[in-house]
Amino acid sequence: IKDHNTRNKIETKQYLQMSTTIMNNNSNNDNEIDNNNHLSSLVYDIGSQLAGVQVAIDTKSSSQDAPNDDDDDAIKTMKLYTHVERIQREVESRFGSASSIDPIALSEVDCMHYEGNDAIEDVIRAIQLNSSSKVLDVGSGFGGVARVLSAQSKCTTIAMELQPDIHHCGEDLTKRCNISDLVKHVQGDILNYDLHKLGEGPSTFDGLVSFLVFLHIPDKLSLLKSCANMLKTDGTLFVEDYYRRSSFTDAELKSLSTDVFCKDLPTREEYIAALETAGFDNIQFIDKTKEWTAFVKDRLAKFEDNKENFISSHGEPTYTSLHYFYESVVTLFVGGNLGGVRIIASKKDSLNKM
């Protein structure tokens, strides 16, 4: 894994250097992009679960709040998080030397969740975002959600990502979208970050969003308390996550731990109790299991149909790794014990008075 990450670091460093050259030399050029290339069908397959994907960049952070690069090695054992140089190739294939990339078009490549931009539109409506709104995106990945939120609603978004390589890649993509005035990137872990350094600090955000990230964090109560701390009174939490519908089999527990980097998923009742204890009310626990089961099955089928094109562009080892991951997720959802949920909740007024 470390050897592979080293190879990715070299490729990604070259990619960022090339991106910088593109932005410096092509600010006045409009380039036609061939959106009908043979990689277009890849977009659906790689666009939905990139929350923590490793696109390695050779960088070290001097911030006291930034985690050590070795801290996230475990999550990178997931099959989804290997061979991710495919993302670099897809961005360059679709957008080439374009001086400005449309965040909506880019979201087809860098989205981190299920159901695409429809889910992001639901966020905008739920939080009632506008140009005066401030949003914190926890586990922002490549920043796709943050960019679409700000592009569509003109809100200001802080995109917080744990892994430094993903953080830097997201920051670069935001620059290429010319949206850095609305989207700011922060690298760190919300559980141990100095929250006073996030935007204007605690109790200043109108909304906090997170897509398919909380499932990697077993300590839900501490996580939710940190989230509540950042929201204004009556601020809105919008989260999509996994939960435990019923007891997992031993095989499912092993797959969740190894293939999805996910342990100790709460039940519906446990999740709601943690939300209430953390300081949330008006809790909507919207079951998405049926929709997500259909989504992941369709994703796998499309990926298999595109096998020949994918392998010709990215190689068989990359195909094998991704196929294993996609198939594992389908198996988990089809088993009936894994559930998907959309949570919408408000911060209690009493929290700011304690």
Side-chain angles (χ1 to χ4, degrees):
I1 294 169
K2 288 184 179 294
D3 289 342
H4 181 79
N5 287 344
T6 299
R7 183 169 65 254
N8 274 355
K9 288 179 180 181
I10 295 172
E11 292 183 6
T12 306
K13 187 173 183 180
Q14 293 170 342
Y15 161 69
L16 289 179
Q17 290 171 343
M18 178 168 58
S19 297
T20 301
T21 301
I22 288 168
M23 289 186 288
N24 289 339
N25 295 339
N26 293 280
S27 59
N28 296 319
N29 294 332
D30 292 324
N31 298 277
E32 290 189 21
I33 306 302
D34 180 8
N35 287 321
N36 296 317
N37 60 72
H38 69 281
L39 286 177
S40 60
S41 59
L42 166 65
V43 167
Y44 184 88
D45 300 309
I46 66 177
S48 63
Q49 280 216 25
L50 298 175
V53 172
Q54 161 74 6
V55 178
I57 296 171
D58 188 8
T59 181
K60 294 182 180 180
S61 173
S62 60
S63 169
Q64 64 178 352
D65 301 304
N68 187 285
D69 285 354
D70 292 334
D71 290 346
D72 49 87
D73 277 352
I75 197 170
K76 294 172 186 174
T77 63
M78 292 174 60
K79 299 291 185 182
L80 178 67
Y81 296 172
T82 58
H83 301 290
V84 295
E85 63 276 6
R86 71 191 189 277
I87 306 301
Q88 302 161 24
R89 287 195 290 263
E90 180 67 12
V91 170
E92 292 311 309
S93 175
R94 289 177 64 82
F95 304 106
S97 59
S99 58
S100 181
I101 300 176
D102 178 7
I104 309 303
L106 181 61
S107 70
E108 295 178 339
V109 176
D110 63 11
C111 273
M112 305 179 292
H113 57 280
Y114 301 146
E115 301 181 314
N117 288 341
D118 289 344
I120 301 178
E121 291 291 342
D122 289 343
V123 172
I124 293 172
R125 286 189 291 268
I127 308 179
Q128 299 181 0
L129 297 178
N130 55 48
S131 59
S132 66
S133 303
K134 296 180 177 63
V135 177
L136 176 61
D137 181 3
V138 175
S140 57
F142 291 120
V145 169
R147 284 186 289 271
V148 174
L149 281 176
S150 290
Q152 296 291 74
S153 72
K154 307 305 178 186
C155 70
T156 299
T157 306
I158 302 294
M160 186 178 201
E161 170 57 36
L162 171 65
Q163 299 183 74
D165 40 23
I166 309 302
H167 157 73
H168 283 283
C169 189
E171 197 167 41
D172 173 72
L173 290 172
T174 293
K175 290 177 182 177
R176 293 192 65 181
C177 290
N178 293 326
I179 199 170
S180 297
D181 57 329
L182 293 178
V183 179
K184 309 296 181 184
H185 291 263
V186 172
Q187 189 259 313
D189 180 352
I190 193 170
L191 290 179
N192 55 39
Y193 198 85
D194 183 351
L195 300 183
H196 290 86
K197 296 181 181 179
L198 274 179
E200 297 177 7
S203 302
T204 60
F205 287 92
D206 300 282
L208 187 148
V209 303
S210 188
F211 287 86
L212 299 177
V213 173
F214 285 15
L215 59 96
H216 299 306
I217 306 171
D219 188 357
K220 290 292 187 293
L221 183 56
S222 294
L223 173 62
L224 292 169
K225 284 181 177 179
S226 292
C227 293
N229 192 18
M230 298 311 297
L231 288 168
K232 296 177 180 177
T233 297
D234 295 327
T236 302
L237 176 76
F238 190 109
V239 171
E240 291 196 345
D241 198 13
Y242 290 176
Y243 78 102
R244 187 174 80 250
R245 298 178 71 199
S246 53
S247 297
F248 295 116
T249 66
D250 289 343
E252 287 172 334
L253 288 172
K254 181 178 180 181
S255 180
L256 283 166
S257 176
T258 304
D259 303 329
V260 189
F261 195 69
C262 174
K263 295 181 179 180
D264 300 324
L265 285 176
T267 63
R268 178 183 185 277
E269 293 73 22
E270 290 169 342
Y271 217 139
I272 291 174
L275 285 159
E276 291 174 339
T277 301
F280 290 99
D281 58 13
N282 302 317
I283 298 167
Q284 299 178 57
F285 195 94
I286 304 167
D287 191 278
K288 299 287 288 183
T289 307
K290 181 179 179 180
E291 296 92 333
W292 290 2
T293 300
F295 181 93
V296 299
K297 289 170 70 175
D298 188 54
R299 178 180 65 180
L300 176 62
K302 282 182 166 62
F303 188 66
E304 291 175 339
D305 288 344
N306 192 49
K307 179 178 180 179
E308 184 176 345
N309 285 337
F310 188 93
I311 290 177
S312 69
S313 299
H314 303 284
E316 191 160 0
T318 303
Y319 177 86
T320 301
S321 290
L322 278 177
H323 186 271
Y324 177 88
F325 175 78
Y326 292 154
E327 193 171 47
S328 296
V329 174
V330 169
T331 299
L332 286 166
F333 270 109
V334 170
N337 297 320
L338 177 65
V341 61
R342 171 180 292 177
I343 294 169
I344 305 174
S346 302
K347 178 179 176 177
K348 293 179 183 177
D349 179 55
S350 58
L351 279 188
N352 285 339
K353 297 178 181 179
M354 292 176 63

